[in-house]
Amino acid sequence: MCNLYSMTATVDEMRRMFGGFDGDTANLPPFDEPYPGYMAPVLRRNESGGLKLEMMKWGFPGPQSAGSRPVTNVRNLNSPFWRNALSNPERRCIVPATSFCEWTADLDPETKRKAKVWFGMAEEHPPLFAFAGIWRPGDGGPFMAFLTCEANEMVGAVHPKAMPVMLRPDDTKRWLDSAHADACALAQPFEDRSMRRIG
């Protein structure tokens, strides 16, 4: 489960990567380590079919049966809890990112804590990418969460259970606009050769 990432790209870099968008297009501050419950930039479809930049809180309000604890990652795509958002293209979004973190399973012998391990795009690629996300309006919202899938070999060496669903620019339109089954087919491990372990 990914509960920490970074987004340090500029608005111009986002525009070059994902195309034009409206919303508050003034330059953004760097989001070095947004945790669940923090606000972060998200791109979603606007009323005319273009893209809109919007700040959203990371974490869907959870079901009452689970104590309403915010849910940050979408793993079970067949769960009724996610069905409405996944089947409705208007509720899909992309979450720009420049890296993400997974925590080691074992404690560091010196600090007695789990260590952060950061992952990003391979050096020959631009650092900016996107997570496949969903969003919803609500009191204190809007809220967003992003999909996870099986881990690839690189991420799995640190966190074998899952990794975020990473999208290339060419995949973002498919995620935002396709029918439910075609969009959810993008929930696949990202190719190892296009990634690197940052630290």
Side-chain angles (χ1 to χ4, degrees), residues 49-69:
L51 287 175
K52 178 180 181 180
L53 176 65
E54 192 167 354
M55 297 298 294
M56 297 189 186
K57 184 180 290 188
W58 184 13
F60 266 45
Q64 292 182 350
S65 60
S68 302
R69 182 178 178 182

Side-chain angles (χ1 to χ4, degrees), residues 5-10 13-15 17-18 21 28 31 34 40-44 52-54 93-99 127-133 144 146 167 172:
Y5 72 101
S6 71
M7 209 304 284
T8 58
T10 66
E13 288 172 319
M14 292 171 60
R15 190 176 287 112
M17 183 70 73
F18 305 119
F21 49 82
L28 295 168
F31 294 84
V42 172
L43 290 167
R44 66 172 181 89
K52 178 180 181 180
L53 176 65
E54 192 167 354
C93 62
I94 58 173
V95 182
T98 48
S99 63
L128 181 61
F129 59 94
F131 300 131
M144 66 85 173
F146 50 76
L167 300 177
T172 57

Side-chain angles (χ1 to χ4, degrees), residues 138-176:
D139 294 336
F143 304 92
M144 66 85 173
F146 50 76
L147 277 63
T148 61
C149 61
E150 296 295 325
N152 62 18
E153 185 175 346
M154 181 182 299
V155 177
V158 176
H159 184 74
K161 291 185 178 180
M163 67 178 291
V165 174
M166 300 167 62
L167 300 177
R168 293 186 179 279
D170 292 345
D171 291 326
T172 57
K173 186 177 187 303
R174 179 181 169 193
W175 169 248
L176 291 171

Side-chain angles (χ1 to χ4, degrees), residues 108-139:
D108 182 281
E110 294 183 8
T111 65
K112 308 300 181 187
R113 297 180 180 178
K114 294 183 178 182
K116 296 177 184 176
V117 180
W118 289 89
F119 300 92
M121 298 296 286
E123 290 180 338
E124 63 266 24
H125 298 289
L128 181 61
F129 59 94
F131 300 131
I134 56 176
W135 74 279
R136 59 160 284 188
D139 294 336

Side-chain angles (χ1 to χ4, degrees), residues 2 19 28 34 42 58 61 74 80-81 83 88 90-91 106 143 160 167 169 189 198:
C2 178
L28 295 168
V42 172
W58 184 13
V74 182
F81 186 73
R83 187 176 298 140
N88 183 358
E90 293 180 1
R91 293 276 302 281
D106 299 323
F143 304 92
L167 300 177
I198 300 171

